[in-house]
């Protein structure tokens, strides 16, 4: 079972305890869980940190970084990324995509490959909000963390 999370680049609320509680419940209800992160902002950082903490309790879960395109950052911090993620993926469907549209396409890819989508958005615009609207249109199970 795959699960992803979307939230705005800046996060103005402390969501870690509630997020970790939701992720723990997802793990308890599903045998094999793979978490997908975009790795591009504060929300993704909090989500990834929660998953890493939960890996101590549930070593069978996995955390994948889904990149929209290849960056030099991957080479520069290679050791950190290898130790932080179970795998790093650039979806084949994104190859050759113009970089300004790649993030939106990556977000849709993550939704398409997930059964559960965690919603950490607090405003009604931006790429994360667009991804959540897409998830709802695709009838994915969406769990909201931030009360709006």
């Amino acid at each position: 079972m795959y699960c992803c999370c979307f939230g705005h680049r800046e996060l103005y609320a402390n969501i870690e305890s509630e997020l970790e509680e939701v992720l723990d419940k997802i793990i308890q209800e599903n045998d094999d869980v793979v978490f997908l992160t975009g790795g591009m902002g504060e929300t993704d950082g909090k989500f990834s940190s929660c998953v890493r903490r939960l890996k101590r309790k549930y070593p069978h879960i996995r955390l994948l970084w889904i990149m929209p395109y290849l960056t030099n950052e991957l080479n520069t911090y290679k050791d950190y990324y290898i130790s932080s993620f179970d795998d790093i993926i650039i979806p084949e469907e994104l190859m050759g995509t113009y970089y300004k549209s790649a993030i939106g396409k990556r977000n849709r890819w993550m939704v398409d490959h997930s059964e559960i989508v965690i919603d950490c958005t607090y405003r009604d615009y931006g790429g994360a909000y667009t991804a959540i609207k897409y998830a709802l249109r695709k009838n994915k199970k969406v769990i909201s963390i931030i009360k709006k």
Side-chain angles (χ1 to χ4, degrees):
M1 197 279 307
Y2 286 78
C3 173
C4 63
C5 177
F6 294 99
H8 306 292
R9 195 172 292 266
E10 308 84 22
L11 189 58
Y12 299 107
N14 184 359
I15 63 164
E16 284 190 76
S17 60
E18 187 172 352
L19 181 59
E20 193 163 325
E21 184 179 311
V22 166
L23 297 179
D24 192 278
K25 185 176 180 193
I26 290 169
I27 296 165
Q28 290 179 30
E29 293 174 354
N30 298 276
D31 292 333
D32 185 27
V33 184
V34 178
F35 294 99
L36 308 177
T37 183
M40 295 187 85
E42 195 173 347
T43 302
D44 290 341
K46 300 252 186 231
F47 175 73
S48 297
S49 293
C50 286
V51 172
R52 284 188 203 100
R53 276 193 302 278
L54 287 166
K55 279 177 75 76
R56 294 181 201 131
K57 184 176 177 182
Y58 307 104
H60 65 282
I61 65 172
R62 297 177 55 216
L63 177 62
L64 309 182
W65 179 19
I66 311 302
M67 295 182 71
Y69 41 73
L70 191 58
T71 66
N72 191 44
E73 174 185 25
L74 186 56
N75 291 326
T76 304
Y77 304 105
K78 182 173 119 180
D79 292 337
Y80 166 74
Y81 292 128
I82 288 173
S83 68
S84 297
F85 299 97
D86 295 299
D87 204 355
I88 300 168
I89 298 171
I90 301 173
E92 189 175 320
E93 298 87 340
L94 299 182
M95 296 299 177
T97 299
Y98 184 60
Y99 79 98
K100 287 191 176 185
S101 64
I103 293 172
K105 288 182 179 182
R106 184 272 319 271
N107 290 351
R108 286 189 297 277
W109 186 95
M110 288 172 55
V111 168
D112 289 341
H113 288 81
S114 295
E115 287 79 26
I116 300 174
V117 178
I118 308 295
D119 176 7
C120 297
T121 62
Y122 53 86
R123 57 182 182 228
D124 61 356
Y125 59 89
Y129 178 73
T130 301
I132 295 300
K133 286 193 332 188
Y134 179 74
L136 291 168
R137 281 195 313 274
K138 291 293 203 168
N139 295 315
K140 301 293 180 167
K141 179 178 181 180
V142 176
I143 301 171
S144 294
I145 299 294
I146 297 175
K147 306 302 179 228
K148 298 169 191 144

